[in-house]
Amino acid sequence: MRCVSNAEGMLSADGVLGGNPLFYFIYNAVAHIAPCWLSYLISGLVIMLILINAVLLGAAVVSWGERRLLGRFQNRVGPNRWGPFGAFQPIADLAKLITKEDIVPYGADKLAFTAVPIIMVAAVLLGTAVLPFAKDVALVDLNVGVLFVLAVSSLTSIAIFTAGWASNNRYALFGAGRAVAVLLSYEVPVVLSLLGVVMVAGSMSLGDIVAAQAVPFFLVQPLAFFVFIAGMSAELNRTPFDVAEAESEIIAGYHTEYSGIKFALIQAAEFGGVLVVSGLIATLFLAGWAGPAADWLGWLWFLIKVFIGIFLFVWIRSTYPRLRLDQIMAVCWKFLMPLSIINLVAVVLEVFFLRDANGSLSTADLWIMAGINIVLAGGSILFFGRFIKEKVRTEAPTAAATNQVVPGVSTIGMR
Amino acid sequence: MTIRTEPMTVNVGPQHPSTHGVFRVRITFDGEDIVEVEPVLGYLHRGSEKLAEERNYVQVVTLTDRLDYTSSMINNQAYCLAVEQLLGIEPPPRGKYLRTLAAELQRIASHLIAVGFFVQELGAFGTPLMYTFRSRERILDLFEMLCGARVTVSYMRPGGVFADTPADFWPALEQFLEDFEGELEEIENLLLSNEILMVRTRGVSPLPADVAINCSVSGPVLRASGVNWDWRKMAPYDAYDQVEFDIPVGQNGDNYDRFWVRMQEVRQSLRIVRQCVAQIEPGPVRQELPLVLRAAPGAEAYGRVEASKGELGFFLVSDGGVSPYRCKIRSPSLINLTITEHLLLGWKLADMIVSLGSVDINMGEVDR
Amino acid sequence: MTLPAVSGETLARRLREAAPNSVVEWSEAAVWVEPGSLDSVASVLHDDAEIDFKFLNSISAIDFVEHFELVYHLTSISRRHTGVVRSRVYGREEPTAASVVGVWKGADFQEREIWDLMGVRFIGHPNMKRIMLWEGFDGHPLRKDFL
């Protein structure tokens, strides 16, 4: 107890970790037998351990859920052998992958090759640090939360590029080149779409953004929601933007050469990435933990919203074919870019005219914005959708001039 | 400042998820653009032609199953037609109808594989493939009823088919035809007007009709280029002169047209199956023949059918013995590969896979 | 029920006008030509408006021990008829015939296959390499003397 009432004000538990009660509890318990600085360290590590395990377990659940869902979408069963509904399948997979030989290909840069899975998992874990799982439950409620999330999610592109380079494999190089091009391009509309969110919420802290959502932001800024989901699909390398690991073209892209535990970590990072991005979507656009009895049931609402996001990603993945790299670039720069700029301009104008004296927006203001923006979103998506259709379609040559149709045979032509 | 780039040579295959088996193509890329193409074959060469010289005329049927293992029935049919032509025999009408029926079911199954993998190679994660395989599975079950085997069927014999249908085959076929109508509609709705699919395939790797003919291309690939050439119409064999069907013909010969032609041919095959079911009458299924067949010395026959991949021909030469002196197999997949270079040069890596998929090769048939 | 076939006699008559010294003999079903003149025969049959063999179905090679026989099955798509051209190639060490790839691109893989498995070399083929077996394989498996 002596540490909490720390007279010198050093290493106090107050004010860190958002006043997390679990942190207080562990801190106080450990403080009975350990010095202050050690109990501070231990309680921090315990929280991190819990979070890391939660994310990795979450990734396992996502991988199982995705495979079950894909099974349902595709008229088949999906994993159903071990555990109820095959729920222990990820454990079996992990056991298999861990016991496999850990191969570093000939000519690979061993250090860089090994570092890649670690960087990828670390980036995902860092992303979870600022997510508010429930009211006031976040590892840290940074006041630059949005910026932090964007920064750590960009770490992945460095890891992917390293993987492609270090593998000494040409398919990996293709995958890395494609991935970096896609990731760098899609960063731009994603950031622009989030600017609108930050502007309306008036804060970059994820906790404040949730609190500001009297009306969920997917209604207030449907364009930003759309651009964010599309951009995040690209950043997660999921269809229709999965050129970086296009299985049918370049084997597995940047992680072609990875096997064993390294492959398991990359998979964990990918499914964890889906989890984190779904968490971000829930936080930024679906009002996070907000819901009936949010003080007690906030975690439940958050979880449900995260699952909505995951379901959306799986649904998209199981439905659409893949676009070509140049078409993906066209979609980014000629479709998502203008949309995010339109959203930004509209939000700037709306905030400028609707804000009250101290610069905040009332619920009514938000509803007005929602009304205007939904119409705007429909219109601009239709307009630019038609535009992009013309742009990405390869010019079809004129009907083959040398058609040699034999007369007198019943034939059905096209269209 | 200019950035120096250098071309990169990649061996696509023989171990690659989408080269339809063990096809290997050495491609030189400039970035993602293809500048040089060299197909390398022979990883599945089993010497079927040589093996056929050591077996008697009926035993060779089992070898034909293993050529294009996705359309064994049609391979059987082509070989049996060649032997019948060699011996101057003709199967009884019920045998002819059963062969037509089985071949058309097999064509549906084969085209379903082609379409499913084509869309899989476009990057659709399994869903269309599973939809098509669901229907194909039913067809294989029907084959199991017919002859006890699902893939390597060996159902047909020179002079007919080896056994009549079991009693429960016809209700099962009716049930399948009924269900498949809806399943086909589902697949068509999912794929034929899918915006991403159109964007990826329209105008990609076009094949003009004159190039197609000069490269001896046959089957759906030729028809997609606008040539309505189908041996079932041009030289009807078995019961094809008794049934009505149309030949779907594409316009530009691009990837979408090849895909479209296959989808339409499934519909036409369904029509043929229905007509066979309506027209078939009881009777013998196979002409009585001696156990070991012998052809006249010096006799020759070129029997061909419109297989699911194109013109499949068997050129048999007899020296009077119990086995063919020479059994040349004209395989559509091998000859359709002649256009590889034409299709791929100048297109991108992603298009390459799709273009190869749209030709629908089968390595069992390419290498034989 | 087959397409009408152009008789060997018709083909031979046409060939004797356009490509002299190429025809060896003819029968009802086929015409035999000199292996060295296959390319000129091919271009005549391909370009002739009446015969118009634009489509090469298949090239088969048969080992008759004393000679090899090449069989070209041809089809005209616009005229809807078929025809057969044959050629006897003598010699067992390295028999040669003229390549028809210049006329029918579709002969490319088939001629390579015949060289690979039957050992008949085609002069004028741009890429006369083995296709199924590897370079350095000893012998040509489809020959009758190959065990």
Side-chain angles (χ1 to χ4, degrees), chain B residues 150-172:
Chain B
R150 291 158 58 82
V151 178
T152 51
V153 285
S154 296
Y155 177 53
M156 298 173 194
R157 295 285 185 280
V161 300
F162 86 90
D164 206 344
T165 50
D168 54 352
F169 173 76
W170 298 103

PDB file of all heavy atoms in Angstrom, chain B residues 150-172:
ATOM      1  N   ARG B 150     -15.538 -43.268 -60.708  1.00  0.00           N
ATOM      2  CA  ARG B 150     -15.919 -41.859 -60.778  1.00  0.00           C
ATOM      3  C   ARG B 150     -15.070 -41.099 -61.779  1.00  0.00           C
ATOM      4  O   ARG B 150     -15.576 -40.261 -62.516  1.00  0.00           O
ATOM      5  CB  ARG B 150     -15.792 -41.210 -59.404  1.00  0.00           C
ATOM      6  CG  ARG B 150     -16.807 -41.703 -58.419  1.00  0.00           C
ATOM      7  CD  ARG B 150     -16.359 -41.486 -56.997  1.00  0.00           C
ATOM      8  NE  ARG B 150     -16.102 -40.088 -56.720  1.00  0.00           N
ATOM      9  CZ  ARG B 150     -17.055 -39.221 -56.417  1.00  0.00           C
ATOM     10  NH1 ARG B 150     -18.294 -39.615 -56.335  1.00  0.00           N
ATOM     11  NH2 ARG B 150     -16.762 -37.970 -56.184  1.00  0.00           N
ATOM     12  N   VAL B 151     -13.796 -41.352 -61.793  1.00  0.00           N
ATOM     13  CA  VAL B 151     -12.921 -40.577 -62.665  1.00  0.00           C
ATOM     14  C   VAL B 151     -12.405 -41.429 -63.824  1.00  0.00           C
ATOM     15  O   VAL B 151     -12.625 -41.127 -64.985  1.00  0.00           O
ATOM     16  CB  VAL B 151     -11.762 -39.964 -61.865  1.00  0.00           C
ATOM     17  CG1 VAL B 151     -10.841 -39.217 -62.794  1.00  0.00           C
ATOM     18  CG2 VAL B 151     -12.301 -39.029 -60.815  1.00  0.00           C
ATOM     19  N   THR B 152     -11.733 -42.524 -63.496  1.00  0.00           N
ATOM     20  CA  THR B 152     -11.242 -43.387 -64.562  1.00  0.00           C
ATOM     21  C   THR B 152     -12.337 -44.393 -64.897  1.00  0.00           C
ATOM     22  O   THR B 152     -12.340 -45.503 -64.396  1.00  0.00           O
ATOM     23  CB  THR B 152      -9.970 -44.098 -64.105  1.00  0.00           C
ATOM     24  OG1 THR B 152     -10.233 -44.699 -62.841  1.00  0.00           O
ATOM     25  CG2 THR B 152      -8.837 -43.144 -63.958  1.00  0.00           C
ATOM     26  N   VAL B 153     -13.234 -43.974 -65.758  1.00  0.00           N
ATOM     27  CA  VAL B 153     -14.490 -44.702 -65.891  1.00  0.00           C
ATOM     28  C   VAL B 153     -14.378 -45.974 -66.724  1.00  0.00           C
ATOM     29  O   VAL B 153     -14.957 -46.995 -66.380  1.00  0.00           O
ATOM     30  CB  VAL B 153     -15.579 -43.791 -66.470  1.00  0.00           C
ATOM     31  CG1 VAL B 153     -16.048 -42.833 -65.438  1.00  0.00           C
ATOM     32  CG2 VAL B 153     -15.079 -43.065 -67.688  1.00  0.00           C
ATOM     33  N   SER B 154     -13.670 -45.924 -67.859  1.00  0.00           N
ATOM     34  CA  SER B 154     -13.610 -47.079 -68.782  1.00  0.00           C
ATOM     35  C   SER B 154     -14.997 -47.620 -69.080  1.00  0.00           C
ATOM     36  O   SER B 154     -15.220 -48.820 -69.052  1.00  0.00           O
ATOM     37  CB  SER B 154     -12.741 -48.214 -68.221  1.00  0.00           C
ATOM     38  OG  SER B 154     -11.436 -47.778 -68.101  1.00  0.00           O
ATOM     39  N   TYR B 155     -15.928 -46.734 -69.321  1.00  0.00           N
ATOM     40  CA  TYR B 155     -17.315 -47.136 -69.456  1.00  0.00           C
ATOM     41  C   TYR B 155     -17.599 -47.664 -70.860  1.00  0.00           C
ATOM     42  O   TYR B 155     -18.397 -48.560 -71.048  1.00  0.00           O
ATOM     43  CB  TYR B 155     -18.207 -45.937 -69.138  1.00  0.00           C
ATOM     44  CG  TYR B 155     -19.675 -46.175 -69.290  1.00  0.00           C
ATOM     45  CD1 TYR B 155     -20.301 -47.239 -68.649  1.00  0.00           C
ATOM     46  CD2 TYR B 155     -20.457 -45.325 -70.071  1.00  0.00           C
ATOM     47  CE1 TYR B 155     -21.651 -47.438 -68.777  1.00  0.00           C
ATOM     48  CE2 TYR B 155     -21.807 -45.520 -70.199  1.00  0.00           C
ATOM     49  CZ  TYR B 155     -22.405 -46.582 -69.550  1.00  0.00           C
ATOM     50  OH  TYR B 155     -23.741 -46.776 -69.679  1.00  0.00           O
ATOM     51  N   MET B 156     -16.946 -47.093 -71.838  1.00  0.00           N
ATOM     52  CA  MET B 156     -17.302 -47.427 -73.216  1.00  0.00           C
ATOM     53  C   MET B 156     -16.370 -48.501 -73.761  1.00  0.00           C
ATOM     54  O   MET B 156     -15.228 -48.642 -73.339  1.00  0.00           O
ATOM     55  CB  MET B 156     -17.225 -46.171 -74.071  1.00  0.00           C
ATOM     56  CG  MET B 156     -18.202 -45.128 -73.590  1.00  0.00           C
ATOM     57  SD  MET B 156     -18.013 -43.591 -74.421  1.00  0.00           S
ATOM     58  CE  MET B 156     -18.975 -42.519 -73.380  1.00  0.00           C
ATOM     59  N   ARG B 157     -16.892 -49.245 -74.693  1.00  0.00           N
ATOM     60  CA  ARG B 157     -16.136 -50.288 -75.359  1.00  0.00           C
ATOM     61  C   ARG B 157     -16.345 -50.130 -76.850  1.00  0.00           C
ATOM     62  O   ARG B 157     -17.371 -49.587 -77.266  1.00  0.00           O
ATOM     63  CB  ARG B 157     -16.668 -51.668 -74.951  1.00  0.00           C
ATOM     64  CG  ARG B 157     -16.499 -52.019 -73.515  1.00  0.00           C
ATOM     65  CD  ARG B 157     -15.066 -52.381 -73.206  1.00  0.00           C
ATOM     66  NE  ARG B 157     -14.954 -52.833 -71.822  1.00  0.00           N
ATOM     67  CZ  ARG B 157     -14.904 -52.026 -70.780  1.00  0.00           C
ATOM     68  NH1 ARG B 157     -14.936 -50.728 -70.964  1.00  0.00           N
ATOM     69  NH2 ARG B 157     -14.813 -52.500 -69.564  1.00  0.00           N
ATOM     70  N   PRO B 158     -15.413 -50.625 -77.652  1.00  0.00           N
ATOM     71  CA  PRO B 158     -15.702 -50.671 -79.083  1.00  0.00           C
ATOM     72  C   PRO B 158     -16.994 -51.445 -79.286  1.00  0.00           C
ATOM     73  O   PRO B 158     -17.130 -52.565 -78.782  1.00  0.00           O
ATOM     74  CB  PRO B 158     -14.494 -51.425 -79.659  1.00  0.00           C
ATOM     75  CG  PRO B 158     -13.407 -51.152 -78.693  1.00  0.00           C
ATOM     76  CD  PRO B 158     -14.043 -51.049 -77.357  1.00  0.00           C
ATOM     77  N   GLY B 159     -17.961 -50.835 -79.939  1.00  0.00           N
ATOM     78  CA  GLY B 159     -19.232 -51.503 -80.162  1.00  0.00           C
ATOM     79  C   GLY B 159     -20.303 -51.139 -79.162  1.00  0.00           C
ATOM     80  O   GLY B 159     -21.358 -51.766 -79.144  1.00  0.00           O
ATOM     81  N   GLY B 160     -20.101 -50.137 -78.331  1.00  0.00           N
ATOM     82  CA  GLY B 160     -21.152 -49.724 -77.412  1.00  0.00           C
ATOM     83  C   GLY B 160     -20.597 -49.347 -76.056  1.00  0.00           C
ATOM     84  O   GLY B 160     -19.529 -48.763 -75.960  1.00  0.00           O
ATOM     85  N   VAL B 161     -21.362 -49.681 -75.011  1.00  0.00           N
ATOM     86  CA  VAL B 161     -20.883 -49.482 -73.651  1.00  0.00           C
ATOM     87  C   VAL B 161     -20.896 -50.834 -72.959  1.00  0.00           C
ATOM     88  O   VAL B 161     -21.571 -51.755 -73.414  1.00  0.00           O
ATOM     89  CB  VAL B 161     -21.743 -48.464 -72.873  1.00  0.00           C
ATOM     90  CG1 VAL B 161     -21.722 -47.128 -73.555  1.00  0.00           C
ATOM     91  CG2 VAL B 161     -23.163 -48.974 -72.732  1.00  0.00           C
ATOM     92  N   PHE B 162     -20.182 -50.969 -71.852  1.00  0.00           N
ATOM     93  CA  PHE B 162     -19.975 -52.316 -71.349  1.00  0.00           C
ATOM     94  C   PHE B 162     -21.152 -52.846 -70.542  1.00  0.00           C
ATOM     95  O   PHE B 162     -21.277 -54.045 -70.352  1.00  0.00           O
ATOM     96  CB  PHE B 162     -18.670 -52.427 -70.565  1.00  0.00           C
ATOM     97  CG  PHE B 162     -18.770 -52.045 -69.117  1.00  0.00           C
ATOM     98  CD1 PHE B 162     -19.079 -53.000 -68.164  1.00  0.00           C
ATOM     99  CD2 PHE B 162     -18.538 -50.755 -68.715  1.00  0.00           C
ATOM    100  CE1 PHE B 162     -19.159 -52.649 -66.829  1.00  0.00           C
ATOM    101  CE2 PHE B 162     -18.622 -50.407 -67.396  1.00  0.00           C
ATOM    102  CZ  PHE B 162     -18.941 -51.358 -66.446  1.00  0.00           C
ATOM    103  N   ALA B 163     -22.023 -51.986 -70.072  1.00  0.00           N
ATOM    104  CA  ALA B 163     -23.154 -52.481 -69.289  1.00  0.00           C
ATOM    105  C   ALA B 163     -24.309 -51.508 -69.430  1.00  0.00           C
ATOM    106  O   ALA B 163     -24.109 -50.307 -69.644  1.00  0.00           O
ATOM    107  CB  ALA B 163     -22.780 -52.637 -67.822  1.00  0.00           C
ATOM    108  N   ASP B 164     -25.499 -52.061 -69.274  1.00  0.00           N
ATOM    109  CA  ASP B 164     -26.680 -51.206 -69.301  1.00  0.00           C
ATOM    110  C   ASP B 164     -26.787 -50.459 -67.969  1.00  0.00           C
ATOM    111  O   ASP B 164     -26.119 -50.790 -67.000  1.00  0.00           O
ATOM    112  CB  ASP B 164     -27.928 -52.053 -69.556  1.00  0.00           C
ATOM    113  CG  ASP B 164     -29.018 -51.225 -70.205  1.00  0.00           C
ATOM    114  OD1 ASP B 164     -28.908 -49.984 -70.159  1.00  0.00           O
ATOM    115  OD2 ASP B 164     -29.962 -51.803 -70.764  1.00  0.00           O
ATOM    116  N   THR B 165     -27.659 -49.455 -67.944  1.00  0.00           N
ATOM    117  CA  THR B 165     -27.779 -48.641 -66.731  1.00  0.00           C
ATOM    118  C   THR B 165     -28.506 -49.419 -65.650  1.00  0.00           C
ATOM    119  O   THR B 165     -29.423 -50.188 -65.941  1.00  0.00           O
ATOM    120  CB  THR B 165     -28.584 -47.370 -67.032  1.00  0.00           C
ATOM    121  OG1 THR B 165     -29.790 -47.772 -67.692  1.00  0.00           O
ATOM    122  CG2 THR B 165     -27.819 -46.445 -67.895  1.00  0.00           C
ATOM    123  N   PRO B 166     -28.131 -49.210 -64.378  1.00  0.00           N
ATOM    124  CA  PRO B 166     -28.916 -49.798 -63.297  1.00  0.00           C
ATOM    125  C   PRO B 166     -30.263 -49.088 -63.196  1.00  0.00           C
ATOM    126  O   PRO B 166     -30.429 -47.976 -63.709  1.00  0.00           O
ATOM    127  CB  PRO B 166     -28.057 -49.559 -62.058  1.00  0.00           C
ATOM    128  CG  PRO B 166     -27.214 -48.395 -62.408  1.00  0.00           C
ATOM    129  CD  PRO B 166     -26.982 -48.467 -63.886  1.00  0.00           C
ATOM    130  N   ALA B 167     -31.200 -49.736 -62.521  1.00  0.00           N
ATOM    131  CA  ALA B 167     -32.569 -49.205 -62.494  1.00  0.00           C
ATOM    132  C   ALA B 167     -32.643 -47.843 -61.828  1.00  0.00           C
ATOM    133  O   ALA B 167     -33.407 -46.969 -62.249  1.00  0.00           O
ATOM    134  CB  ALA B 167     -33.489 -50.199 -61.774  1.00  0.00           C
ATOM    135  N   ASP B 168     -31.826 -47.625 -60.802  1.00  0.00           N
ATOM    136  CA  ASP B 168     -31.952 -46.361 -60.077  1.00  0.00           C
ATOM    137  C   ASP B 168     -31.183 -45.215 -60.742  1.00  0.00           C
ATOM    138  O   ASP B 168     -31.148 -44.114 -60.215  1.00  0.00           O
ATOM    139  CB  ASP B 168     -31.486 -46.533 -58.620  1.00  0.00           C
ATOM    140  CG  ASP B 168     -30.092 -47.110 -58.534  1.00  0.00           C
ATOM    141  OD1 ASP B 168     -29.574 -47.503 -59.597  1.00  0.00           O
ATOM    142  OD2 ASP B 168     -29.527 -47.170 -57.442  1.00  0.00           O
ATOM    143  N   PHE B 169     -30.584 -45.481 -61.876  1.00  0.00           N
ATOM    144  CA  PHE B 169     -29.837 -44.413 -62.538  1.00  0.00           C
ATOM    145  C   PHE B 169     -30.759 -43.332 -63.073  1.00  0.00           C
ATOM    146  O   PHE B 169     -30.494 -42.141 -62.905  1.00  0.00           O
ATOM    147  CB  PHE B 169     -29.004 -44.992 -63.682  1.00  0.00           C
ATOM    148  CG  PHE B 169     -28.326 -43.948 -64.520  1.00  0.00           C
ATOM    149  CD1 PHE B 169     -27.205 -43.300 -64.046  1.00  0.00           C
ATOM    150  CD2 PHE B 169     -28.816 -43.601 -65.770  1.00  0.00           C
ATOM    151  CE1 PHE B 169     -26.584 -42.336 -64.803  1.00  0.00           C
ATOM    152  CE2 PHE B 169     -28.195 -42.637 -66.537  1.00  0.00           C
ATOM    153  CZ  PHE B 169     -27.068 -42.008 -66.048  1.00  0.00           C
ATOM    154  N   TRP B 170     -31.863 -43.750 -63.697  1.00  0.00           N
ATOM    155  CA  TRP B 170     -32.711 -42.752 -64.364  1.00  0.00           C
ATOM    156  C   TRP B 170     -33.375 -41.797 -63.399  1.00  0.00           C
ATOM    157  O   TRP B 170     -33.347 -40.576 -63.649  1.00  0.00           O
ATOM    158  CB  TRP B 170     -33.723 -43.455 -65.271  1.00  0.00           C
ATOM    159  CG  TRP B 170     -33.007 -44.209 -66.342  1.00  0.00           C
ATOM    160  CD1 TRP B 170     -32.805 -45.553 -66.388  1.00  0.00           C
ATOM    161  CD2 TRP B 170     -32.328 -43.647 -67.477  1.00  0.00           C
ATOM    162  NE1 TRP B 170     -32.050 -45.873 -67.492  1.00  0.00           N
ATOM    163  CE2 TRP B 170     -31.745 -44.726 -68.180  1.00  0.00           C
ATOM    164  CE3 TRP B 170     -32.162 -42.373 -67.961  1.00  0.00           C
ATOM    165  CZ2 TRP B 170     -31.004 -44.552 -69.335  1.00  0.00           C
ATOM    166  CZ3 TRP B 170     -31.428 -42.196 -69.124  1.00  0.00           C
ATOM    167  CH2 TRP B 170     -30.862 -43.272 -69.802  1.00  0.00           C
ATOM    168  N   PRO B 171     -33.963 -42.283 -62.266  1.00  0.00           N
ATOM    169  CA  PRO B 171     -34.482 -41.298 -61.303  1.00  0.00           C
ATOM    170  C   PRO B 171     -33.391 -40.371 -60.786  1.00  0.00           C
ATOM    171  O   PRO B 171     -33.622 -39.163 -60.622  1.00  0.00           O
ATOM    172  CB  PRO B 171     -35.042 -42.165 -60.172  1.00  0.00           C
ATOM    173  CG  PRO B 171     -35.010 -43.554 -60.629  1.00  0.00           C
ATOM    174  CD  PRO B 171     -34.292 -43.666 -61.904  1.00  0.00           C
ATOM    175  N   ALA B 172     -32.194 -40.919 -60.559  1.00  0.00           N
ATOM    176  CA  ALA B 172     -31.105 -40.068 -60.055  1.00  0.00           C
ATOM    177  C   ALA B 172     -30.736 -39.015 -61.085  1.00  0.00           C
ATOM    178  O   ALA B 172     -30.476 -37.851 -60.752  1.00  0.00           O
ATOM    179  CB  ALA B 172     -29.898 -40.932 -59.710  1.00  0.00           C
TER     180      ALA B 172
END
